[in-house]
């Protein structure tokens, strides 16, 4: 059963094909690999959560994205990019990507500000809804995230304010970047980065040919 439609915090980014030049996509993918490598095993992109076992079975090093933080981050990301007719943020490994950013990439000030903000999510939801964010209903999660996005909008419209200082600015940025540099995210946009197997004479997809759905090129 598919979940709710994505809430309106992404703008038009998911509404059409990926239009970045090929070399820019390549740079983004290289950067993603550098981020994941910077954190060692804790940033494994294949993990379902930031502190679960690594793919291949080895033990993971402790992450600053603790289990409670990882649950909140995963639920926030899935609210921003839920599973619809395409996979959501969880399947794209966004939480593992955020763990890698936190553990090996962000500078101390950015990391500490982000984690401090993330730590406010569950207490705020317990006070408002009676449950930590990850255990709230989909409607409660969407209402909470919309409130955070409204705060960002207000900061953006205030010349004296800095929206980037709000932790949710980075929640959105990390979620979108993590998703759309993953295989899942690129596939959802119809952007094929690699051939996972040899596909001799494979028909092109409608996105690749520009033909209407139901027609394919050869």
């Amino acid at each position: 059963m598919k979940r709710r439609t994505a809430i309106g915090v992404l703008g038009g980014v998911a509404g059409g094909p990926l239009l970045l030049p090929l070399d820019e996509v390549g740079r983004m993918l290289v950067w993603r690999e550098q981020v994941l490598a910077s954190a060692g095993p804790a940033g494994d992109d294949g993990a379902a959560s930031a502190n679960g076992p690594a793919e291949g079975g080895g033990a993971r090093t402790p992450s600053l994205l603790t289990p409670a933080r990882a649950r909140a981050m995963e639920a926030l990301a899935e609210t921003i990019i839920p599973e619809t007719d395409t996979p959501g943020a969880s399947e794209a490994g966004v939480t593992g990507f955020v763990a890698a950013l936190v553990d090996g990439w962000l500078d101390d000030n950015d990391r500490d500000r982000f984690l401090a903000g993330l730590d406010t999510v569950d207490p705020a939801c317990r006070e408002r809804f009676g449950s930590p964010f990850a255990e709230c209903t989909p409607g409660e999660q969407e209402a909470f995230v919309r409130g955070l996005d409204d705060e960002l909008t207000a900061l953006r419209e205030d010349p004296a304010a800095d929206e980037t200082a709000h932790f949710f600015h980075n929640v959105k940025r990390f979620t979108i970047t993590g998703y759309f540099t993953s295989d899942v995210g690129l596939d959802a946009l119809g952007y094929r980065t690699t051939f996972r197997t040899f596909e001799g004479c494979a028909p092109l997809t409608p996105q690749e040919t520009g033909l209407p759905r139901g027609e394919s090129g050869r």
Side-chain angles (χ1 to χ4, degrees), residues 6-7 10-18 80-81 85-86 176 179-180 185 188-189:
I7 71 171
L10 293 181
V13 70
L18 187 62
I80 294 169
I81 308 181
D85 56 341
T86 55
I176 293 168
Y179 187 83
F180 289 112
L189 290 173

Side-chain angles (χ1 to χ4, degrees), residues 6 14 22 32-33 44 57 68 70 88 102 108 150 164 179 196:
L22 182 60
R32 175 190 176 89
E33 293 307 313
D44 189 334
V102 165
D108 291 349
D150 288 344
T164 65
Y179 187 83
R196 294 171 180 80

Side-chain angles (χ1 to χ4, degrees), residues 15-121:
L18 187 62
L19 299 177
L20 288 174
L22 182 60
D23 58 343
E24 183 63 25
V25 174
R27 283 193 291 270
M28 290 175 64
L29 296 177
V30 168
W31 173 76
R32 175 190 176 89
E33 293 307 313
Q34 291 172 339
V35 169
L36 295 173
S38 72
D44 189 334
D45 190 35
S49 70
N51 291 278
E55 262 189 7
R60 299 171 68 81
T61 58
S63 172
L64 291 171
L65 201 72
T66 61
R69 288 168 171 167
R71 283 191 295 272
M73 182 64 222
E74 185 161 353
L76 285 166
E78 190 69 14
T79 303
I80 294 169
I81 308 181
E83 178 187 2
T84 54
D85 56 341
T86 55
S90 297
E91 189 171 338
V94 166
T95 306
F97 176 73
V98 173
L101 286 169
V102 165
D103 291 334
W105 196 265
L106 298 178
D107 64 36
D108 291 349
N109 289 336
D110 287 342
R111 178 199 65 211
D112 293 346
R113 183 169 62 245
F114 171 71
L115 292 177
L118 195 59
D119 286 342
T120 67
V121 170

Side-chain angles (χ1 to χ4, degrees), residues 141-206:
Q141 290 176 340
E142 289 184 7
F144 186 78
V145 168
R146 285 188 187 280
L148 294 175
D149 205 52
D150 288 344
E151 293 175 16
L152 276 187
T153 299
L155 290 173
R156 192 178 304 121
E157 294 173 351
D158 182 353
D162 177 13
E163 68 167 304
T164 65
H166 195 300
F167 87 100
F168 190 62
H169 172 82
N170 277 338
V171 170
K172 287 176 62 176
R173 187 163 65 101
F174 297 164
T175 297
I176 293 168
T177 303
Y179 187 83
F180 289 112
T181 56
S182 71
D183 284 348
V184 164
L186 290 169
D187 284 348
L189 290 173
Y191 196 104
R192 301 177 72 181
T193 56
T194 60
F195 292 98
R196 294 171 180 80
T197 59
F198 176 70
E199 301 178 56
C201 299
L204 298 177
T205 66

